[in-house]
Amino acid sequence: MNIWKTLLIGVIATVLMACQSVPLVKSISDPIPYTLEQKQAERCIIEAGSTRGWMMTPTKLGEIQAELNIRQHQVVIRIVYDEKNITFNYVSSQQLNDKNGRIHRQYNNWLNNLRGDIKVKMNEVYTKQLLDKNPN
């Protein structure tokens, strides 16, 4: 009876661990649907990330390293951008169970929040440009 109980506990633990991880997408790109200069895009990315608690470090024009530290978790991504596209590349993580092509589900939430905030910031900058050109 004890062997079956141990086996059942092991199966349940495995299922629960699997529920907390998702496939790791190493790279994802978004088009930039606005006419922005590269420096404007950089500023939008940095401001949006900083608002969410990401430490944004420009490494060169067109590239930013973003690091997020929440409790014992850490994730580092490299953001590559130009006037037309923005690409988010997974670099590393700590305490997010990155193994066998899977990662803790919270990584996707943090990344999607960052992507959404950047889109909102770019929209704000682009809309302000339009309004400044046509003050009527």
Side-chain angles (χ1 to χ4, degrees), residues 101-116:
R102 299 185 68 79
I103 195 164
H104 192 285
R105 66 173 185 235
Q106 192 60 42
Y107 167 72
N108 286 340
N109 293 336
W110 293 329
L111 182 58
N112 288 332
N113 287 339
L114 176 62
R115 290 170 60 207

Side-chain angles (χ1 to χ4, degrees), residues 42 56-66 78-81:
E42 177 181 71
M56 309 298 276
T57 307
T59 53
K60 62 183 176 182
L61 185 60
E63 188 174 298
I64 297 171
Q65 178 172 303
R78 186 177 69 253
I79 303 170
V80 180
Y81 60 93

